[in-house]
Amino acid sequence: MNRGFTAEINSKQYVKNISISNEAHNRVLFEGTFGELEEVYMVEDKVLEIKGTHGTLRIDVTKEELERIFKSENVT
């Protein structure tokens, strides 16, 4: 299943690097700073939202998937 994400930065002053490669790997790199962590929460149990003072990162992932992954990592 493909997952989407968005990275929203309040100002370009917090963007460190954006790189789109023309090489065979076709890599894309986005670097910046979200500032101080303010909140981490789930939106409708299907989007993880990490909010900082300078921006927000949103990742399409369900609460159940996160719980399953965290439980499996704690078993080892």
Side-chain angles (χ1 to χ4, degrees):
M1 177 185 286
N2 290 329
R3 300 291 179 187
F5 76 93
T6 61
E8 179 180 331
I9 303 297
N10 297 337
S11 170
K12 63 183 177 182
Q13 79 183 53
Y14 304 121
V15 176
K16 181 178 177 182
N17 186 21
I18 296 175
S19 175
I20 300 174
S21 175
N22 288 329
E23 297 176 7
H25 297 279
N26 291 323
R27 293 186 179 200
V28 176
L29 173 67
F30 179 90
E31 290 181 320
T33 59
F34 289 101
E36 296 293 321
L37 183 63
E38 291 184 333
E39 297 179 79
V40 176
Y41 56 93
M42 296 296 299
V43 178
E44 298 179 6
D45 288 339
K46 57 185 176 182
V47 176
L48 175 64
E49 188 163 291
I50 303 168
K51 191 173 214 175
T53 53
H54 303 316
T56 304
L57 175 66
R58 294 177 193 89
I59 304 171
D60 292 347
V61 62
T62 67
K63 182 179 176 181
E64 291 79 21
E65 289 170 317
L66 288 173
E67 288 172 347
R68 186 177 65 245
I69 290 168
F70 286 135
K71 285 180 185 176
S72 69
E73 287 184 4
N74 290 332
V75 172
T76 59

